Structure formats: structure tokens, C-alpha cells
Amino acid sequence: MYDPLHDLSPGQGQPYPDSYWAAHSGPAPADDGALTQDCTVDVAIIGAGYTGLSAAYHLATEHGVKALVLEANQTAWGCSGRNAGFVLKSSGRKPYAQMQKQWGEAVMRGVYQEFNAGLDRVRQLISLGIDCDQQEPGYLRMAHKPSMVPTLQAQARLLQQTFGAEVELLSRSEVHQQYVADQQSFGALRFADAFGVNPLKLAWGYQQLARNAGSMIHTASPVQQWQTDGRTQVLHTPQAVVRARKVILATNGYTPKQLHPGVQSRTLPVLSQIIVTEPLSATQLAACNLLTSQVVMDTRALKYYYRKLPDNRILFGGRGAITGRDAENPFYAERLLEVLKLSFPALHNLRYDYQWSGWICMSLDDIPHIYQADAHADVVYSMGYCGSGLSFSVQAGKRLADKVMGLAQPDLPLFQSALPKFPLAPLRRVGQWGYFHYGKLKDQWW
């Protein structure tokens, strides 16, 4: 499997992974195919995932700029088409309480409003006619052990008192009786304003909106060489050369090694693994009291997450292999299935029909950054969503569109500083291995 820490290219025109989404989304909508003629453009965008497609759409609709999008493989071939489809008001991994302590209440409120705007923007774009199998609203953050209940109580107080957020605390019995009898849940914090979607169909909807607005989406067109000619960015694809005044880097966890020095060694791509089970019978659903299709995530450092899909399958995800070379090892999918069965012992004979993995993008400081990769801001990027970027990436795309047009960005850490470099960057995977072992101990004992 492609490994961004080691490989110089994700390939060219590679098919979608053998995922549930690829198998249940129908035919992909038309794109503009491989780029075959040299061209000069105002803005080139590298990556046709949520961020890149949003940037293209907002450039066209708000600024009258028809960008050219270069995608190495297929639209949403990366994490945008592989994720669990959780539309949440969040991004990164930094808790609001830590933001408040580090940056002050005003900045914390600003970040919250920016994440809120991301969720609203996804809703608004879906309302333009995107069919993405949207499910019932609600997000359950499950306490995976009794000692995590006070943490959820403190989070609820902060969200309610500071932001007036619509959240409610649920006891173990309330969770089991009203939502799902998850044996590894000891209570939950329920958010009212989240929901599940088919993430690949959502990305295809964004592509159609961007193309309808005049953007060009060229698949099978990886950037193989990148040069600078004065203030012009020169991008070499297999069959053509693009000269661009500005470039938006929208590759996140799939950014290949040495693509651009401004983002080198500033991210850690981490594999997330997902399985989708065979359909559950009415008897199996009743045995688990699986009444809800709301999205679920636990409080572990090494999180597990799941949801019931429209055809009564369970999507279940968590961490995967450490290296791309080991990504297809069935051990990781089997491990997820065993954890799922700990939550639902009645499903001891359950099998999975689909399994796949994808790279999420971790930042050193646990927040995403929308910033410039060079001194002149001719190359800008948004990266570091830390596995929860489905909604914020769309907001980031709008902010990137504004940035290349010279508009001021919000005075928030997300927009005012570069992604920090990882110390001892060649040893990032060693650090990841150590964190996984630390997380396992913390989740079990602390």
C-alpha cells in the first residue's frame, strides 16, 4: 500500500479501494479525465478530496476564479472516500479545556465557532442537492470505563455553560435502553448536531458542484515534479505541464514524500482501519438493542468508533497498521471484529464483508493548520485534521480560497502559524509505535 512517509507518488489512476463505500455508491460521476495539454492558470489545486473540492467550489462561486484540480488517482481516492462518514463539529485532537488554558477564552470561542461553521457549511452544500445517505442526527461519545464519566461531565459543563451547546449526559442504563446495549459503554455524552453520511457520495457531490461552477477536475494526473520560475509554480504531470500563479496543497495525510519543502516533516500519516459487517438480522439487532443509527465514538486514547448503516450492517473502525507495507495484514481487521464482539457478545458468530484502511493526518500540536508553505504565500495548505476533518475540511477549503485571493484570515492559531516540524522526523514511526503502547496501557489502567 502507498506509504506517504516513504513513497514519492501515490500512483496514477489507481482504482478505489475495495471498500463498502466503493461497492455501494453506484457509478462515479464524470470528471475531466487526465490532463493532456499544457496550461496556465491562476490557481492550481493538488488533491481532489474534501479540502481541494471545497476550495475549487468557493473560488468559483465567491471569487469568480475557475481553478484546475489535479488528482493523482480518483476523486476522493484518499481519506475523503475511505472515512467513516462522521459529520462532527470538530477537528484535531486538542480539547477545548486545553485551548482555554493555553490560548484564553476568546480564542477557544473562536475555534469553536470555526468548527461550527464547518458543520453548517457541510449542511448547506448537502442542501444544494447532494444525495449522500444522510442518517439520523446525533453523536454518542461513550465512556469506555467508569473513570471516564467525570471527564464527560466536565466536558458537558464547559460546552453548555460556555457555548450553550445542545448536549446531554446519559447514564449507562439510558444508553443501553434508548440507544444501544454496548457492554463497553458506561454512559455517554450525546451531541445533537452530528450525523452520518456516505463519505464517497458526499465527495462526489462536491465534485459536481465544483464542476458546475466551472472548475476542472483532472484525475489520473499526479504532480511528478514541482519547480518555481520566479513567482510562477510549474507543476509537471505525466502528460502536461501546469503553470500556476498560486497553488493550494490539499493532500493532507496522502501528501507524498518531498512534494514540497514547506510541508516536509510536518505531518505524521497514521493508518485508520475500518470493517463493515454482514447485515444483521432482526434477532441480532434486538439482542444488541441496536435502536440507533447515530454515530458513536469512545473515550479511549486509541479510539474505536461505529455506526449502524442503512442496510443494518455495522461499520466499526479503529487504528490500523503502523506502516503501509503491513496495511493489508488481516490481523488488524480481525482485531476490530473481536473488539466489536466485546461490545456485543450476542454477535459472537458475526463476520465482516468489507475491510480497508486509509491515512489520516496527525499534527504535532493536535490542531489543523491553514497556512502558507513559502515566503510569498504562493503555495498554501490545510493539513493536520487528526482523523476528524470531514466537516472542517470544507470550511478549510473556503478559507484557502479566501487566502489565495489575499483576504485576511481569522486571528486564530489554526490560521496564524505553520504546522510545526516533528523533532527527529525520520523516527516518527518509532514515536507512533511508542504512543500506541502508551495508549493501550492508559486505556486499560489509567
Side-chain angles (χ1 to χ4, degrees):
M1 181 178 176
Y2 168 63
D3 191 326
L5 278 195
H6 301 294
D7 298 331
L8 299 178
S9 173
Q12 180 183 358
Q14 296 295 311
Y16 288 109
D18 201 10
S19 70
Y20 174 84
W21 307 126
H24 288 77
S25 298
D31 54 51
D32 294 292
L35 184 67
T36 57
Q37 294 185 336
D38 295 354
C39 59
T40 300
V41 298
D42 287 328
V43 181
I45 299 171
I46 304 176
Y50 297 141
T51 304
L53 295 170
S54 172
Y57 172 77
H58 287 98
L59 277 168
T61 57
E62 297 185 358
H63 305 290
V65 174
K66 296 177 181 179
L68 181 144
V69 180
L70 298 172
E71 165 58 44
N73 295 306
Q74 315 291 334
T75 295
W77 180 82
C79 201
S80 296
R82 302 176 189 233
N83 67 83
F86 285 28
V87 185
L88 307 177
K89 187 192 300 181
S90 66
S91 192
R93 288 170 52 89
K94 189 184 289 290
Y96 287 114
Q98 188 176 344
M99 293 183 197
Q100 185 178 39
K101 182 178 180 180
Q102 182 176 349
W103 299 325
E105 184 165 329
V107 171
M108 176 193 65
R109 286 180 177 274
V111 173
Y112 178 82
Q113 292 304 322
E114 195 70 13
F115 292 165
N116 198 29
L119 184 62
D120 289 343
R121 197 167 297 278
V122 171
R123 283 200 185 110
Q124 186 265 328
L125 293 180
I126 290 175
S127 73
L128 297 179
I130 297 177
D131 176 13
C132 56
D133 303 332
Q134 185 173 342
Q135 293 186 274
E136 65 174 298
Y139 159 42
L140 297 164
R141 185 162 188 242
M142 301 285 204
H144 74 282
K145 55 185 178 182
S147 62
M148 292 305 299
V149 172
T151 299
L152 293 184
Q153 292 170 338
Q155 184 182 10
R157 286 194 298 271
L158 175 65
L159 292 170
Q160 290 169 337
Q161 295 173 8
T162 305
F163 306 123
E166 191 177 350
V167 296
E168 61 176 325
L169 280 166
L170 301 169
S171 68
R172 177 182 172 92
S173 62
E174 287 173 327
V175 170
H176 285 207
Q177 292 170 15
Q178 300 174 26
Y179 296 96
V180 56
D182 184 338
Q183 298 305 303
Q184 295 191 92
S185 171
F186 292 86
L189 181 59
R190 182 182 178 274
F191 298 75
D193 53 5
F195 53 93
V197 297
N198 177 320
L200 182 57
K201 291 175 73 172
L202 181 64
W204 286 350
Y206 294 158
Q207 174 184 279
Q208 290 180 299
L209 291 176
R211 291 187 77 227
N212 290 344
S215 303
M216 303 289 286
I217 316 292
H218 288 286
T219 54
S221 302
V223 175
Q224 298 178 319
Q225 295 181 49
W226 188 336
Q227 300 161 342
T228 303
D229 181 9
R231 293 287 297 275
T232 300
Q233 306 299 316
V234 185
L235 309 175
H236 296 258
T237 69
Q239 301 179 67
V241 176
V242 178
R243 296 177 65 85
R245 186 173 62 86
K246 300 280 188 178
V247 172
I248 292 175
L249 262 176
T251 46
N252 202 39
Y254 281 75
T255 306
K257 183 180 180 181
Q258 298 179 6
L259 179 61
H260 191 280
V263 295
Q264 187 71 18
S265 301
R266 296 180 186 271
T267 61
L268 173 61
V270 173
L271 278 172
S272 184
Q273 183 84 30
I274 290 177
I275 61 172
V276 172
T277 71
E278 59 190 344
L280 272 64
S281 66
T283 300
Q284 288 173 312
L285 291 170
C288 305
N289 205 36
L290 186 44
L291 304 174
T292 185
S293 296
Q294 297 179 36
V295 299
V296 178
M297 191 180 302
D298 68 20
T299 51
R300 289 177 171 88
L302 305 177
K303 300 184 186 303
Y304 294 107
Y305 50 89
Y306 65 89
R307 54 186 274 224
K308 183 177 71 171
L309 297 173
D311 55 2
N312 288 334
R313 300 172 187 265
I314 297 177
L315 177 151
F316 194 90
R319 66 184 177 93
I322 290 181
T323 66
R325 183 176 56 187
D326 201 28
E328 301 303 322
N329 188 331
F331 166 80
Y332 299 99
E334 293 292 342
R335 180 173 63 187
L336 288 181
L337 185 62
E338 291 307 310
V339 175
L340 184 157
K341 291 177 181 179
L342 292 177
S343 290
F344 307 113
L347 304 181
H348 58 276
N349 291 323
L350 192 68
R351 299 172 299 177
Y352 62 82
D353 284 345
Y354 300 89
Q355 65 89 16
W356 69 95
S357 59
W359 296 102
I360 63 174
C361 186
M362 308 302 293
S363 61
L364 184 62
D365 58 357
D366 291 336
I367 60 170
H369 289 257
I370 297 85
Y371 203 65
Q372 63 197 58
D374 65 346
H376 301 290
D378 292 334
V379 180
V380 299
Y381 64 83
S382 178
M383 297 181 186
Y385 304 133
C386 301
S388 57
L390 191 155
S391 58
F392 182 68
S393 58
V394 180
Q395 177 71 1
K398 184 264 191 297
R399 293 299 189 191
L400 287 168
D402 291 345
K403 190 172 182 65
V404 298
M405 298 306 297
L407 301 183
Q409 300 287 288
D411 188 17
L412 299 172
L414 311 178
F415 304 99
Q416 301 300 328
S417 61
L419 279 163
K421 281 192 173 182
F422 277 80
L424 303 173
L427 300 179
R428 277 171 284 179
R429 289 276 163 80
V430 177
Q432 179 186 346
W433 179 88
Y435 179 79
F436 279 1
H437 283 269
Y438 157 79
K440 185 176 180 180
L441 290 173
K442 179 181 179 182
D443 291 336
Q444 186 171 0
W445 300 108
W446 303 342

